[in-house]
Amino acid sequence: MISYKYLGSGTQYELQLDLYFECLPSTVGHDLMSSIGVYDSAGISVDFFNIPADTSTIVTVTDSCNGICIRKVSYIDTVSFSFQATGGYVFRYERCCFSTTLTNLQNSGSIGFGLITNFFYTGSNTPNNSSPTSNSSSGFIVQNNQAFSLDFSATDPDGDQLTYTFTSTPQYLSQFSPKPLNPSFNPNGCISLSGGYSNSMPIASSSSNPAILYPTTGIYSGTPVLNGLFIMTVLITETRNGSTIGTSTRTIPLAVSPCLVSSIGKNEVISKNKVFPNPILNRFKIQSQSKLERVYIQDFKGKILKELNLNNNEFELTDLPSGIYLLRLESKAGTETKKIIKQ
């Protein structure tokens, strides 16, 4: 996912690219540098940036039996860029090729992908916009035949409304130039998933608990029924005052394993908040590394059921019936969503 954040003065932005890599001994590993091309809405090249991997953000997730390993790497740099073209800009990234072990894509080792972030500047919205940034701090491994709930959501620094849908993945085919210095404006078409999979159904899931991406929360939940490594792309749409001002694509590998996640790399603390006890009978507490600004409880469709009073050290759920809910925790460090069980 490509994101940019206005730094508050002049033309300075923080540009960030979040990527996922397989980290098995047989794979190449992550890139030390990555390139992002910038185009105006007519497809004319405006600029490109070569940004380094921030090694302090690298997070590795492995399972406990098959040696599945996914590494999330963020590329971050401060750049100077002036939003001036009417019609907006397109930020592009391209890379070839996917892992050879993808379950839902044939010949995946010869196919690459692109990431796209659009900003639709019309003159009526401020050019000093900041795009959504991912809330996920690691890759994703779930256990087969066990219900999961994953947070594919993002946070918008300007408070714009975000919605989430699965979409097709832009295709990049050049094995001879796997890391183009200036990614192209037009992708080589879109990737077609194979083996009966589709953009809206990228994994095999239970008919009694099918995998669903909830459009208002970005939560992806269900029960998988087949082991494998699956690729999927989420389209994040940014809306302000009823008008779409930006979109971002996020391509995500999801590993389904017969066993549980065994370890998470130590370069970053994955969960900044702890909730205990969970499951919850009537009362619970939150331990946070950052000062919480807002905490509320949602259902899986995104409806806010209850906002918690942060002046209390202990929170009550006596007014909610038994069930599974989403606890949304917001702070200056970011937003985290945790699944809680009310007994």
Side-chain angles (χ1 to χ4, degrees):
M1 179 176 175
I2 303 170
S3 59
Y4 57 88
K5 180 172 67 176
Y6 182 57
L7 296 180
S9 62
T11 58
Q12 296 294 298
Y13 288 81
E14 181 181 86
L15 190 59
Q16 179 166 333
L17 171 68
D18 294 323
L19 297 177
Y20 299 92
F21 298 87
E22 268 197 293
C23 44
L24 301 176
S26 59
T27 57
V28 175
H30 70 273
D31 299 324
L32 298 180
M33 303 285 290
S34 287
S35 296
I36 295 176
V38 186
Y39 295 83
D40 65 17
S41 59
I44 298 173
S45 178
V46 176
D47 211 337
F48 74 91
F49 302 102
N50 201 25
I51 56 179
D54 183 345
T55 56
S56 69
T57 68
I58 295 175
V59 184
T60 300
V61 183
T62 59
D63 72 353
S64 58
C65 64
N66 276 3
I68 295 173
C69 178
I70 297 176
R71 176 172 296 148
K72 177 179 180 287
V73 183
S74 294
Y75 299 79
I76 304 173
D77 202 0
T78 298
V79 302
S80 180
F81 186 78
S82 179
F83 285 88
Q84 294 179 341
T86 300
Y89 293 89
V90 181
F91 294 80
R92 290 274 313 183
Y93 168 81
E94 292 176 325
R95 184 68 165 93
C96 192
C97 295
F98 281 120
S99 163
T100 60
T101 60
L102 289 183
T103 306
N104 59 351
L105 181 61
Q106 289 183 346
N107 302 317
S108 56
S110 61
I111 299 174
F113 71 102
L115 294 173
I116 304 174
T117 288
N118 291 292
F119 173 58
F120 307 122
Y121 177 50
T122 63
S124 61
N125 55 329
T126 172
N128 299 331
N129 182 61
S130 295
S131 70
T133 57
S134 167
N135 288 329
S136 304
S137 53
S138 70
F140 301 98
I141 301 177
V142 298
Q143 187 175 7
N144 196 15
N145 295 310
Q146 298 294 320
F148 68 83
S149 178
L150 302 175
D151 188 355
F152 287 176
S153 71
T155 296
D156 191 277
D158 302 317
D160 297 325
Q161 181 182 0
L162 304 178
T163 55
Y164 310 87
T165 55
F166 281 128
T167 190
S168 56
T169 304
Q171 184 169 247
Y172 176 65
L173 292 176
S174 180
Q175 299 178 57
F176 303 102
S177 179
K179 297 187 296 180
L181 181 62
N182 191 5
S184 62
F185 177 72
N186 291 312
N188 305 122
C190 292
I191 292 171
S192 296
L193 298 182
S194 52
Y197 299 98
S198 65
N199 296 329
S200 60
M201 293 185 294
I203 71 168
S205 61
S206 167
S207 58
S208 60
N209 186 26
I212 297 173
L213 177 64
Y214 290 90
T216 56
T217 63
I219 298 298
Y220 184 47
S221 65
T223 300
V225 294
L226 182 69
N227 295 326
L229 181 61
F230 303 85
I231 201 72
M232 59 199 70
T233 295
V234 176
L235 177 69
I236 303 172
T237 301
E238 179 184 3
T239 303
R240 182 182 299 169
N241 299 324
S243 298
T244 298
I245 67 167
T247 60
S248 300
T249 62
R250 182 180 176 205
T251 298
I252 302 166
L254 171 60
V256 179
S257 168
C259 49
L260 292 170
V261 172
S262 65
S263 65
I264 298 176
K266 301 300 182 182
N267 289 24
E268 178 183 11
V269 177
I270 296 302
S271 179
K272 298 179 177 62
N273 306 286
K274 294 182 179 180
V275 176
F276 57 94
N278 189 18
I280 301 164
L281 184 59
N282 288 313
R283 296 179 176 86
F284 70 97
K285 294 183 178 181
I286 300 173
Q287 180 180 328
S288 178
Q289 297 179 14
S290 302
K291 183 179 179 181
L292 295 172
E293 298 180 339
R294 189 185 182 201
V295 178
Y296 52 95
I297 295 172
Q298 297 174 293
D299 61 18
F300 277 82
K301 293 184 178 180
K303 180 181 179 181
I304 297 178
L305 305 176
K306 180 183 179 107
E307 184 154 1
L308 303 182
N309 184 352
L310 296 180
N311 292 324
N312 299 330
N313 294 322
E314 193 173 55
F315 307 100
E316 289 196 6
L317 291 185
T318 53
D319 54 337
L320 290 180
S322 300
I324 301 176
Y325 301 94
L326 298 176
L327 182 68
R328 195 85 163 178
L329 305 106
E330 296 181 358
S331 70
K332 289 184 178 179
T335 300
E336 184 177 6
T337 301
K338 303 183 78 70
K339 183 172 70 174
I340 59 173
I341 302 172
K342 170 66 165 59
Q343 294 180 328

